[in-house]
C-alpha cells in the first residue's frame, strides 16, 4: 500500500497548503491511505467540525490529534460522531472519542490508526507502552489489519525513538509529531517498521514552531505574556512522510515529503 502521513496542520497557512496539494498528491502518487495530524488546525489550537470535514473532503482518510485535541470545545461533542477523528489513546477512561480505529481504505484494505501521547515533559497520561500493547494485540498487523499507522505525539526524541523500537515489526509506520520541526532520520527499523522521530508541522516556518515569532520572543525575554499566540500567516511547508508497504504490511520504502514554503523541497523518488 502507498501511505502518506502529514504533520500538524498549523492554522490557516497550514490548511491552505494542505487543501492546495493533497488532492494532486493523492492522484499523482496513487495514494491508498492518508493520515493528517489536525491538533493545531483551528488558529493553532484544536480542530473544528468544519475543518475536519474539509480535510476528509480533500483526501484525508483519518485525522489524528494530540495535547491540543480538545482546545476547541466543540470537538468534545463532534468527535463522538466522527470515526475518522482519532485522539490520544492514553487519555483517562471516559474521555470522548476514540484513541484507535480500524478504517477502510478506498481499495477495501483495513488500516489501523492509533494516536498516542508521550509522557516526558508532557501531561502525565496513562502509560503509552502498555496502551499500545493493548491496541496492537486487539488488531494484529497481517491478521486483522493490512496496515497500521501510529502517531506518537511527544516532546522528547528519546521517548519517540524508544516507542518506535518498541512497536518495530508490529506496525507499518511509527511517526512522531508535536515538536513541529522535521528530523532527518526517516528510515525502516530492523523489524520492518517505517519510522521518523518527528515529521514536522505543516505551517509557516518563518515562526517559532508555527506561531507568529514576536510574542514567543517577548515571552522568553520578559517572562510575561503581552498578547496571545497567533499562527504565522506566511507561505506554509507541507511536511510529511511517504511509506510503501509490502504484502505483510511492513514498510518497504520510506521518504520525507516537504512541499512549498521555506524548507528545502523533497519528494519520494520511488513513486515517479
Ligand atoms: Fe502540534
Ligand atoms: Fe502537540
Amino acid at each position: 500500500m502507498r501511505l502518506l502521513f502529514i504533520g500538524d496542520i498549523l492554522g490557516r497557512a497550514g490548511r491552505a497548503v494542505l487543501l492546495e496539494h493533497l488532492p494532486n498528491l493523492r492522484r499523482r502518487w496513487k495514494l491508498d491511505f492518508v493520515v493528517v495530524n489536525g491538533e493545531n488546525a483551528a488558529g493553532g489550537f484544536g480542530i473544528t467540525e468544519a475543518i475536519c470535514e474539509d480535510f476528509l473532503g480533500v483526501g484525508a482518510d483519518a485525522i489524528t490529534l494530540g495535547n491540543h485535541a480538545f482546545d476547541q470545545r466543540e470537538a468534545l461533542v463532534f468527535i463522538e460522531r466522527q470515526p475518522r477523528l482519532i485522539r490520544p489513546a492514553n487519555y483517562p477512561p471516559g474521555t470522548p472519542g476514540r484513541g484507535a480505529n480500524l478504517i477502510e481504505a478506498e481499495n477495501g484494505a483495513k488500516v489501523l490508526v492509533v494516536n498516542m501521547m508521550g509522557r516526558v515533559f508532557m501531561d502525565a497520561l496513562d502509560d503509552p507502552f502498555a496502551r499500545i500493547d493493548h491496541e496492537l494485540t486487539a488488531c494484529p498487523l497481517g491478521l486483522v489489519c493490512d496496515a497500521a499507522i501510529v502517531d506518537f505525539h511527544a516532546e522528547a526524541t528519546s521517548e519517540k525513538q524508544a516507542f518506535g523500537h518498541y512497536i518495530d515489526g508490529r506496525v507499518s509506520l511509527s511517526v512522531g509529531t508535536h515538536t513541529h520541526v522535521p528530523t532527518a532520520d526517516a528510515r525502516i527499523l530492523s523489524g520492518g517498521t517505517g519510522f521518523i522521530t518527528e515529521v514536522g508541522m505543516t505551517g509557516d516556518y518563518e515562526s517559532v514552531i508555527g506561531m507568529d515569532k514576536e510574542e514567543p520572543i517577548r515571552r522568553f525575554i520578559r517572562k510575561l505574556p503581552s498578547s496571545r499566540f497567533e499562527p504565522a500567516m506566511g507561505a506554509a511547508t507541507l511536511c510529511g512522510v511517504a511509506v510503501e508497504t509490502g504484502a505483510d504490511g511492513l514498510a518497504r520504502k520510506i521518504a520525507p515529503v516537504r512541499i512549498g514554503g521555506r524548507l528545502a523541497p523533497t519528494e519520494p523518488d520511488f513513486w515517479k
Side-chain angles (χ1 to χ4, degrees):
M1 291 181 77
R2 294 181 170 197
L3 315 175
L4 178 66
F5 185 98
I6 299 173
D8 307 26
I9 308 297
L10 207 309
R12 189 180 302 163
R15 299 200 306 271
V17 76
L18 181 80
L19 300 189
E20 182 189 348
H21 289 285
L22 185 53
N24 287 334
L25 294 180
R26 231 190 133 116
R27 220 174 308 121
R28 185 152 64 89
W29 291 342
K30 301 182 176 67
L31 296 170
D32 296 305
F33 204 84
V34 177
V35 181
V36 174
N37 184 300
E39 74 146 4
N40 307 110
F45 299 94
I47 190 165
T48 64
E49 187 163 29
I51 291 173
C52 186
E53 296 296 332
D54 282 350
F55 290 0
L56 296 173
V58 292
D61 295 286
I63 298 164
T64 52
L65 295 165
N67 52 306
H68 292 295
F70 298 114
D71 285 1
Q72 302 292 323
R73 309 295 293 173
E74 65 175 270
L76 288 162
V77 177
F78 80 80
I79 198 170
E80 293 284 2
R81 55 175 181 260
Q82 183 43 267
R84 293 173 184 267
L85 183 61
I86 316 290
R87 48 83 174 156
N90 49 342
Y91 272 131
T95 302
R98 47 192 80 60
N101 205 5
L102 193 60
I103 297 173
E104 194 172 318
E106 217 172 62
N107 67 1
K110 298 233 180 344
V111 181
L112 175 68
V113 180
V114 186
N115 190 196
M116 198 70 73
M117 254 169 68
R119 296 192 294 184
V120 178
F121 311 127
M122 306 203 50
D123 257 8
L125 301 186
D126 292 348
D127 177 5
F129 292 83
R131 187 69 211 182
I132 196 66
D133 277 343
H134 175 83
E135 298 296 348
L136 299 181
T137 303
C139 189
L141 183 63
L143 291 172
V144 179
C145 63
D146 303 295
I149 299 171
V150 179
D151 172 355
F152 189 59
H153 196 80
E155 183 76 32
T157 49
S158 55
E159 190 181 23
K160 287 159 119 164
Q161 297 197 353
F163 192 83
H165 288 299
Y166 186 67
I167 58 176
D168 183 20
R170 295 192 278 164
V171 302
S172 315
L173 172 66
S174 174
V175 57
T177 57
H178 176 67
T179 51
H180 290 192
V181 181
T183 54
D185 62 341
R187 65 195 189 276
I188 298 172
L189 302 178
S190 58
T193 289
F195 177 80
I196 188 167
T197 302
E198 167 62 48
V199 68
M201 68 166 175
T202 293
D204 175 11
Y205 278 78
E206 181 67 12
S207 68
V208 175
I209 61 171
M211 294 297 165
D212 188 78
K213 61 194 174 188
E214 303 306 333
E215 175 61 11
I217 294 169
R218 270 197 302 268
R219 285 200 201 182
F220 277 111
I221 294 167
R222 299 169 53 186
K223 303 294 175 190
L224 290 170
S226 45
S227 64
R228 289 168 32 153
F229 287 130
E230 299 285 352
M233 297 296 277
T237 305
L238 185 154
C239 281
V241 65
V243 176
E244 186 164 313
T245 61
D248 55 5
L250 293 171
R252 292 288 181 277
K253 295 167 182 169
I254 186 166
V257 174
R258 293 190 299 269
I259 299 169
R262 290 174 173 266
L263 300 192
T266 183
E267 293 188 1
D269 58 9
F270 45 77
W271 289 340
K272 288 216 167 105

